[in-house]
Amino acid sequence: AQSVAQPEDQVNVAEGNPLTVKCTYSVSGNPYLFWYVQYPNRGLQFLLKYITGDNLVKGSYGFEAEFNKSQTSFHLKKPSALVSDSALYFCAVRDITGFQKLVFGTGTRLLVSP
Amino acid sequence: DTEVTQTPKHLVMGMTNKKSLKCEQHMGHRAMYWYKQKAKKPPELMFVYSYEKLSINESVPSRFSPECPNSSLLNLHLHALQPEDSALYLCASSQVLAGDPYNEQFFGPGTRLTVL
């Protein structure tokens, strides 16, 4: 079964520093990977998705993700964190049984301090 | 219009009440979804509609009854809920492109449901 793991419940970073939110995947076949962000009491917002062949994916709000096939990882990155980036981040993978199903990781809370 | 709207924002209901959650999108998406999300947990898929037909039911109890009256609207009818059903209910939509695994889902802000 397709799955993603987010090993960190929380990531703390100072404003202006680079941030990384980790995600590893386990899939049969090609990985179709996504990152979403959720602000308090809000729905999920799409950040970016992995398209086959692009190891560095650029997304919304200055975020990017690095796909690494050998390490089965799809880490979310941003060169300079903002306090407003503080939110809950979910990695997700398309389910193999049907393209309509997304399987989400457990989420990582990002806290950016001023 | 790139928005998914949900009403109401908050809902408090007793275990004997009947209520409905509503979701609307005008992006021309032909797939619509209901998710349930507990605090600090990832969303859990409940139902998927594709071209107004129910395509996925993730073994959801019958006290939750989805309805897709047209391509823009999705309802979730609630009856005889339990306190453990209290959660954030999220609606989402996406394009349906045959064989395309890349299309992302667009989420609404959710309805915060409390069952007393």
Side-chain angles (χ1 to χ4, degrees):
Chain A
Q2 316 291 75
S3 66
V4 288
Q6 295 181 244
E8 301 156 317
D9 288 337
Q10 182 162 315
V11 169
N12 298 304
V13 65
E15 188 174 32
N17 284 358
L19 69 88
T20 298
V21 182
K22 295 180 180 176
C23 173
T24 58
Y25 65 88
S26 174
V27 301
S28 303
N30 293 324
Y32 302 107
L33 298 161
F34 302 79
W35 274 103
Y36 285 85
V37 60
Q38 186 174 32
Y39 297 98
N41 299 312
R42 300 293 300 275
L44 278 69
Q45 293 180 31
F46 169 75
L47 281 178
L48 50 82
K49 60 187 176 185
Y50 170 66
I51 304 289
T52 303
D54 297 332
N55 287 348
L56 186 63
V57 181
K58 297 215 182 278
S60 306
Y61 314 120
F63 284 93
E64 57 190 27
E66 187 174 6
F67 175 77
N68 188 314
K69 187 174 182 179
S70 62
Q71 297 184 6
T72 61
S73 66
F74 188 56
H75 299 333
L76 183 70
K77 297 174 184 285
K78 188 174 183 183
S80 178
L82 300 172
V83 172
S84 56
D85 291 330
S86 298
L88 187 57
Y89 290 80
F90 290 103
C91 182
V93 65
R94 187 75 74 188
D95 189 85
I96 196 173
T97 59
F99 291 151
Q100 293 171 330
K101 278 191 72 173
L102 280 178
V103 177
F104 288 90
T106 51
T108 298
R109 184 161 301 282
L110 174 66
L111 186 59
V112 181
S113 53
Chain B
D1 186 354
T2 57
E3 199 175 74
V4 177
T5 59
Q6 291 187 244
T7 56
K9 285 188 169 54
H10 301 275
L11 179 63
V12 179
M13 61 186 291
M15 289 190 285
T16 58
N17 291 158
K18 284 185 182 181
K19 297 286 185 184
S20 296
L21 308 184
K22 295 185 186 301
C23 173
E24 190 167 3
Q25 58 88 14
H26 294 288
M27 294 179 277
H29 292 167
R30 301 305 296 273
M32 297 186 77
Y33 311 75
W34 280 115
Y35 288 86
K36 174 182 177 181
Q37 186 180 25
K38 292 283 211 179
K40 301 181 182 179
K41 297 290 186 185
E44 300 172 16
L45 183 66
M46 300 173 73
F47 303 104
V48 181
Y49 274 83
S50 181
Y51 292 99
E52 296 88 71
K53 293 193 188 311
L54 184 66
S55 60
I56 296 178
N57 177 342
E58 291 288 280
S59 302
V60 178
S62 60
R63 57 185 184 269
F64 295 91
S65 176
E67 178 197 19
C68 190
N70 62 53
S71 60
S72 300
L73 292 174
L74 185 67
N75 298 321
L76 186 63
H77 302 298
L78 315 172
H79 174 54
L81 295 193
Q82 303 297 310
E84 59 265 29
D85 296 322
S86 298
L88 182 67
Y89 287 84
L90 295 166
C91 174
S93 70
S94 72
Q95 294 183 353
V96 179
L97 301 174
D100 180 3
Y102 297 115
N103 50 29
E104 62 268 28
Q105 295 179 17
F106 293 80
F107 285 79
T111 293
R112 176 77 57 192
L113 174 68
T114 302
V115 182
L116 301 176

